Every structure is written in structure tokens, then in C-alpha cells.
Amino acid sequence: MMRTRPLKVALLGCGVVGSEVARIMTTHADDLAARIGAPVELAGIAVRRPDKVRDGVPAELVTTDATALVKRGDIDVVVEVIGGIEPARGLITTAFEHGASVVSANKALVAADGAALHAAAQQHDADLYYEAAVAGAIPLVRPLRESLAGDKVNRVLGIVNGTTNFILDKMDGSGAGYSEALDEATALGYAEADPTADVEGFDAAAKAAILAGIAFHTRVRLDDVHREGITEVTAADIASAKRMGCTVKLLAICERAADGASVTARVHPAMIPLSHPLASVREAYNAVFIESDAAGQLMFYGPGAGGSPTASAVLGDLVAVCRNKIAGATGPGESAYTRLPVSPMGEVVTRYHISLDVADKPGVLAQVATVFAEHGVSIDTVRQQGKDGEASLVVVTHRAADAALSSTVGALRELDTVRGVASIMRVEGE
């Protein structure tokens, strides 16, 4: 039997995602009610600019007083899609204090302060759901939190930022440089006017922190994630990758150590073989691999951003939270019982592709090889090209610790025959 009293929802933010949430709630009201077991009523929409025209959004629901909206006392669920740290954090905390559960798409806030938010939700017997904070419409948070709750996850590897994937894909396909590819991404609406959060890896790092925390049942903050962006990736790097049978992707990598005593979380560009499924992820799409003991390898693929895809994830959480409200229960909260430390990047072991500008004369390769050997870094392959007294030397290593590689590169810079280090890139997915 369906409950007749509607569940009231407050919407914080009515931009690209928020307006789509409001539209779906209005146009699919009957379907949502049938799935939940009770009507869902959009009770108020908090915005900064009330005079802006918002198609399909009832003007009588719009307010600029977000605090008053979440304090009303009759709100069952608050949907937060305004982003940023404040005022979102204060509004979410206030919502908990006044009896509301929260659905959020705020990756920055969850990555920075998820533990405190989960504690506040638990204190007030409320839910905190945030599927939309990671990879848009792709279901990742709920499978990790629920479907794989009985398994042991060892690795999460994926493309979680559509803007950077679009840029790198265009560089790979056309031979364009970074600036030209960024300009195209901006013109098509894939990149913001200020693309820093995307191209410098901040967006992906926040998502990596969230995924690592859930996957490994430990607390991983944004500051724990090693971060490198794509601004230094050149057309020459893309060409080198092609010669190796690889392509370049910005990857989020979360791993459990082999001994199970620690975890790592990192975001950086990497070469991956064309045979790897992630190599075929094109344009602004996202894809994530999850590796676990029992389930083996799982891949999740789809649109990672945009109004409709993100709204889909928000509405999925809204249905789950509303069902919990009717049942008088709450869903899974934070699981951080393992308390595993997050190892620094220096301890991460992977392969490397190093491009050196060197003098074109006898003995250079021997000098370079000696430096690698002295620092305990084993060489897999070497390719050398020379002309008119100058040469390029490309070295691909076997797996080595980041700290060992860093000291190796420092020693290489001291050689008179090494003119410079053109690029260093990790090699993943093998």
C-alpha cells in the first residue's frame, strides 16, 4: 500500500544538474512515487540568483534563503548540488540537525570532510548518499559500498574526468598539442572557462579519495592523494606512447599493498597499452576497473558528467533514501574499520617511460645505464636516435619505486652528456 503523505524534498542549487533534478522530479512524479511507495514533493529550491529564468522550475518554490529552507523541520530529504565546501557543509550539517537525510553530488566536500559528515549523519539517524559525486551516471559508490561489501577489493583503476579524457583523446587522434585540444574542449563545452580543477587533476583526486575510502574501508582524504595533471603532456609524449603501442590517459589509481598493510591513492597521466580496455575510452566518457578477490575484474563505463547523467545518479540516491525514510531505517554509513595508513607516492612501484636529450657521442648509453643500475632501477628497453651531435634517448624501466626513480633522474641531470629530461611518464595497465 502506498503512503499518502508525501516525502518533502529541498533542492539546494538549480544549475545544470539541479534544474534537471527538478525537471525529472516533476515529469516523473508518478513513477518515482510508485518506486518509493510514497509521493515525493519538491518543497523548495534554494538559489543565489532568483531572477534567472529556469524552464520548468516553479517560481513559487524558489528562495535565496537556503538556511531557512533546510531548517523548516518538515523536510525529509535535502538534495545538495551547489558544490564547494561552504556554504554546502554548513547547510548539510543543519539539515541533519533538523531531521533530514542528504543526497549530495559534492565530491570536493565529501573528499575533504566525509568522515565528519558521516558522523553527523549517524548522530541524527540520517542518511548521507553521494553516488553523483563520482563519475556522473556510472554506478560506483553503491556497488563498492553494498554489492562488493562481502568481497575484498584490491585495486580501483580508472578514467574519472571527462574533460581531461577528451583533451588527451583529441591529442592522440589528431596530433594536436595540449593548448589546441583544450581550446576545442572549451569551445564544445567540455571544459570550464577556468579548467584548473580538471586539467590539474583536482577533480579526479577528489574522486580517487572517495573511491579509495569506500573500497578499502579506511579514511582517505584529498590531501592523501598524489596528484599530477595533464598540462605538461606534449604531442611528443603522445607520439612516444604510440610507438610503444600505448595511449596516454589521466588515471585515478587506488591500490591495496601486497601485504595488505597500507593503501595508496594517486592521480596522474600514464601510458596504457592499446590492448587494455581503458585505452578505448574516448572523448568525455569515464570508465573504472575494480579488481577484487572473489569477483575478479569488473568494469564500469558511461558518461561521467553532464546535467542528465549526474541527475540520474542523484535521483537514484533520492529513491534509496526515501525508501529508507519510509522503512524507518538508514542505509550504510562510513566503513573505516581497517584504519589502513596511506603510503606516500615515493613507495609506489610502477614502470616508467623517460625521455632524455643527450649528446650524440659514444659512451652516453653506458653512462645512463650505469646511473640506473646504481640506483637499483632495472631497464627494460632503450631507444636512441641521433643527429648533428644531439640525440634523444628513451628508456622504459621495469617496475621501480617512485623514490628510486626520482633519485635516478636527479643523478642523470648531473651528467655532462645529458642535456635535459624531456619527459617522465608512468606506464600502467600491464
Side-chain angles (χ1 to χ4, degrees):
M1 175 180 285
M2 182 176 293
R3 194 179 80 163
T4 56
R5 186 180 72 81
L7 291 158
K8 294 189 176 182
V9 178
L11 178 61
L12 307 182
C14 199
V16 174
V17 176
S19 58
E20 189 66 10
V21 170
R23 184 191 68 79
I24 295 173
M25 286 187 65
T26 302
T27 58
H28 295 179
D30 291 342
D31 286 337
L32 289 172
R35 295 166 191 171
I36 291 167
V40 181
E41 176 187 323
L42 189 55
I45 305 171
V47 300
R48 286 185 298 177
R49 293 178 292 170
D51 297 331
K52 180 180 177 180
V53 177
R54 298 174 174 87
D55 293 336
V57 176
E60 66 273 14
L61 297 181
V62 173
T63 177
T64 58
D65 195 341
T67 301
L69 179 59
V70 299
K71 281 184 172 181
R72 275 178 35 173
D74 63 338
I75 300 296
D76 295 288
V77 183
V78 169
V79 174
E80 182 270 311
V81 289
I82 56 178
I85 305 300
E86 292 293 355
R89 176 167 48 194
L91 291 169
I92 289 174
T93 302
T94 301
F96 290 145
E97 292 170 351
H98 287 77
S101 289
V102 172
V103 172
S104 176
N106 196 331
K107 54 188 166 287
L109 179 57
V110 174
D113 213 18
L117 294 176
H118 274 295
Q122 183 178 20
Q123 179 184 353
H124 297 285
D125 295 319
D127 274 324
L128 173 64
Y129 277 48
Y130 41 86
E131 182 68 69
V134 182
I138 304 173
L140 282 173
V141 173
R142 191 172 290 115
L144 281 171
R145 250 191 350 183
E146 300 177 31
S147 304
L148 296 173
D151 205 345
K152 179 184 178 184
V153 176
N154 297 308
R155 194 173 196 232
V156 179
L157 167 74
I159 298 164
V160 295
N161 182 272
T163 300
T164 51
N165 199 59
F166 180 89
I167 292 170
L168 293 173
D169 184 47
K170 291 304 174 184
M171 291 176 68
D172 182 84
S174 68
Y178 167 77
S179 297
E180 293 85 356
L182 173 59
D183 288 343
E184 183 176 353
T186 303
L188 293 173
Y190 290 117
E192 302 285 347
D194 180 1
T196 302
D198 294 319
V199 300
E200 293 292 357
F202 289 101
D203 175 86
K207 295 169 182 175
I210 294 170
L211 292 174
I214 300 170
F216 306 134
H217 302 278
T218 194
R219 287 179 178 170
V220 180
R221 291 173 53 86
L222 180 58
D223 293 343
D224 295 323
V225 181
H226 174 82
R227 175 192 55 79
E228 299 172 29
I230 66 167
T231 56
E232 300 301 319
V233 177
T234 66
D237 293 328
I238 302 293
S240 291
K242 284 187 174 182
R243 284 191 289 270
M244 287 180 59
C246 293
T247 189
V248 177
K249 298 292 186 182
L250 183 73
L251 299 180
I253 306 171
C254 312
E255 294 178 305
R256 188 191 300 268
D259 62 4
S262 64
V263 300
T264 59
R266 51 196 165 103
V267 167
H268 54 70
M271 296 181 180
I272 58 173
L274 294 176
S275 58
H276 195 284
L278 288 179
S280 62
V281 178
R282 307 296 301 276
E283 298 198 334
Y285 277 77
N286 286 187
V288 177
F289 259 81
I290 296 175
E291 300 175 9
S292 66
D293 278 358
Q297 292 188 335
L298 305 172
M299 182 174 174
F300 298 81
Y301 170 85
S308 294
T310 306
S312 171
V314 170
L315 269 296
D317 277 352
L318 178 63
V319 169
V321 170
C322 286
R323 287 172 175 170
N324 291 343
K325 280 281 185 180
I326 293 173
T330 56
E334 183 189 33
S335 175
Y337 71 93
T338 64
R339 297 183 175 85
L340 295 174
V342 182
S343 297
M345 186 63 189
E347 297 179 11
V348 171
V349 176
T350 189
R351 298 179 67 206
Y352 291 87
H353 175 283
I354 305 104
S355 180
L356 304 172
D357 295 326
V358 300
D360 186 15
K361 62 182 183 180
V364 173
L365 179 56
Q367 286 183 324
V368 169
T370 298
V371 169
F372 275 89
E374 289 174 345
H375 290 81
V377 178
S378 175
I379 294 176
D380 182 16
T381 63
V382 177
R383 185 176 72 250
Q384 185 174 7
Q385 294 178 323
K387 184 179 180 181
D388 299 329
E390 297 295 329
S392 63
L393 192 65
V394 175
V395 178
V396 179
T397 74
H398 289 290
R399 291 175 64 83
D402 187 83
L405 194 283
S406 295
S407 64
T408 302
V409 172
L412 288 171
R413 295 182 191 276
E414 298 298 318
L415 295 178
D416 292 339
T417 51
V418 175
R419 311 296 193 213
V421 179
S423 68
I424 303 171
M425 191 167 294
R426 296 170 182 87
V427 181
E428 300 283 351
E430 295 184 319

